[in-house]
Amino acid sequence: MALSGYQVLLIGGMLLTGSINTLSKKAQNDCVAPGVANHSANGTATEHSFNHPWFQTVIMFVGEMGCLIGLFVVRQRERNRYRRENIERLSEVSGSEDVVDTQPRICQLVLAIPTICDLFGTSLAGIGLVYVNASVWQMLRGSIVIFTSILSVVFLKRRLRWVHWVGVAFTTIGLALVGISSVLNESNKHEVYETAIGISLILGGQLVSATQMIIEESFLKNRSLHPLHVVGMEGTFGFFIMSLIVLPAMFFIPGNDINGNYENSLDALYQIGNDPKLLVFSLLYLMSIAFYNFFGLAVTKSLTAVHRTLVDACRTIGVWVVSLLVYYAFDPSFGEPFHKAWGLIQIDGFLFLMIGTALYNELLDPAYLWYCCKSPSPNTPVTASIQARDERAPLLQENRVSLYD
């Protein structure tokens, strides 16, 4: 089926905003700027790296809150359509054109549960991003396929076919290759143990994110909530939880941040105010979150979840290519270099991740490989498998996994 211009625009917007999201978040970590007065430097403002993953989570939640604007637009359109379709009946019954509001209320407290998962999953992955390159971070997020499949079997009692487990196996091999290439890459700015810790935190964050997806499916599947509603309210709950509880607690917990705090959010605000580049990266990160969710939902609605998965895979390529381009053509302090030996292993890992994701989402059927090697008759098992797979296509949505931000 040929794509319309509108659909191409949606795909391009999702790819662009998704890539900007990852690149701008990593670029924030690469910025060096003065912050609050440093007590150990006679009260002067010293320059230091922007290392505030928990504050970045707040920026993410603010971006998600922007989805409520889209929700209000959608609800207004629904009210207008309802009014047009029922204006005569409403006038006859009550003499009024008022719309009976059957839309669910905005504040849904149950959404606070997946919000907490989103909070910790994003923050753990954000801490891990400090110690790895953006492309590696993006690839390691593919581990959500593994965790989601296992949790869905354990808690949702879902039965996965053998092709799904083959996809999980390919994904596991890909993650191992990407992790090894990142740890042993001599061009990495961090020590081996720091990179290993970063990878562990990213994988832990994806485990929490997979738990979030399972909770959302089990608690919210029958509530008929619009996706913009879910994302927007999770952003709202997350913003208040972070601002009123988490960030104040991080400030008073001893740590390695400036002035002995675990994370000094006031220092983050000062650094953003003192460095125009950091301010631009922060605004790009905030806006890309909102627009990425919008374009992702629009792609799923206009096309399918399959297209969204493919765009996510292309997003990984885009992040890697742009990171290399920035490093070699513009500023070596941003982006990442390509190591001739370990970079090739990273490419192999990426290919395994692509194949694993395609198999798990049933974008690639192993039966077609046999079909390409020889031409079986219509009654052969291979052809029957292909026909059965095509007949099942509408039922595959529940097993597809899209890599969210």
Side-chain angles (χ1 to χ4, degrees), residues 103-379:
Q103 296 170 330
R105 57 187 173 86
I106 294 293
C107 185
Q108 299 277 345
L109 292 179
V110 71
L111 293 174
I113 300 175
T115 297
I116 296 175
C117 293
D118 194 9
L119 187 157
F120 285 102
T122 301
S123 299
L124 288 175
I127 298 172
L129 180 59
V130 175
Y131 303 107
V132 300
N133 292 324
S135 62
V136 173
W137 184 80
Q138 187 65 47
M139 293 180 193
L140 290 175
R141 295 186 66 206
S143 60
I144 195 171
V145 171
I146 301 174
F147 298 130
T148 303
S149 60
I150 295 175
L151 292 176
S152 64
V153 170
V154 175
F155 294 103
L156 300 182
K157 308 303 180 183
R158 178 172 295 158
R159 297 182 60 184
L160 301 181
R161 298 174 57 241
W162 65 271
V163 67
H164 299 136
W165 293 116
V166 173
V168 169
F170 269 86
T171 303
T172 304
I173 296 173
L175 290 173
L177 292 175
V178 171
I180 291 173
S181 67
S182 178
V183 171
L184 301 181
N185 193 341
E186 294 89 346
S187 62
N188 198 331
K189 302 176 183 178
H190 301 278
E191 298 292 337
V192 172
Y193 76 92
E194 291 179 330
T195 304
I197 291 175
I199 292 174
S200 301
L201 290 172
I202 295 170
L203 296 179
Q206 293 309 106
L207 174 59
V208 177
S209 296
T211 305
Q212 174 190 349
M213 296 178 65
I214 298 300
I215 292 175
E216 287 177 342
E217 181 172 352
S218 59
F219 281 94
L220 308 177
K221 195 172 184 179
N222 298 323
R223 292 178 178 268
S224 301
L225 298 179
H226 193 280
L228 285 174
H229 189 176
V230 176
V231 176
M233 285 310 302
E234 285 184 2
T236 303
F237 283 128
F239 174 78
F240 285 106
I241 293 174
M242 290 293 297
S243 301
L244 301 178
I245 301 176
V246 177
L247 291 184
M250 296 295 175
F251 182 84
F252 290 104
I253 294 176
N256 296 324
D257 202 0
I258 190 169
N259 297 331
N261 308 113
Y262 182 80
E263 179 162 333
N264 192 327
S265 298
L266 185 61
D267 178 62
L269 292 173
Y270 270 83
Q271 285 188 289
I272 292 174
N274 293 331
D275 189 349
K277 288 192 297 183
L278 183 55
L279 175 61
V280 170
F281 292 141
S282 300
L283 292 176
L284 283 175
Y285 181 58
L286 187 153
M287 292 186 293
S288 65
I289 284 286
F291 282 101
Y292 177 73
N293 281 282
F294 167 76
F295 282 117
L297 296 170
V299 167
T300 303
K301 181 178 180 180
S302 179
L303 296 168
T304 64
V306 178
H307 292 84
R308 185 169 185 171
T309 302
L310 293 174
V311 174
D312 278 320
C314 294
R315 172 188 173 190
T316 304
I317 300 174
V319 168
W320 199 358
V321 171
V322 173
S323 296
L324 295 173
L325 180 64
V326 169
Y327 181 86
Y328 288 105
F330 296 98
D331 189 350
S333 61
F334 296 94
E336 61 182 87
F338 181 83
H339 193 275
K340 294 181 180 179
W342 302 113
L344 295 176
I345 296 179
Q346 188 173 335
I347 293 176
D348 293 337
F350 171 72
L351 293 176
F352 271 96
L353 288 171
M354 287 278 291
I355 295 173
T357 302
L359 287 171
Y360 187 87
N361 291 282
E362 300 203 29
L363 307 178
L364 176 66
D365 195 326
Y368 283 109
L369 300 178
W370 293 97
Y371 187 81
C372 294
C373 296
K374 51 186 177 180
S375 300
S377 64
N379 296 324

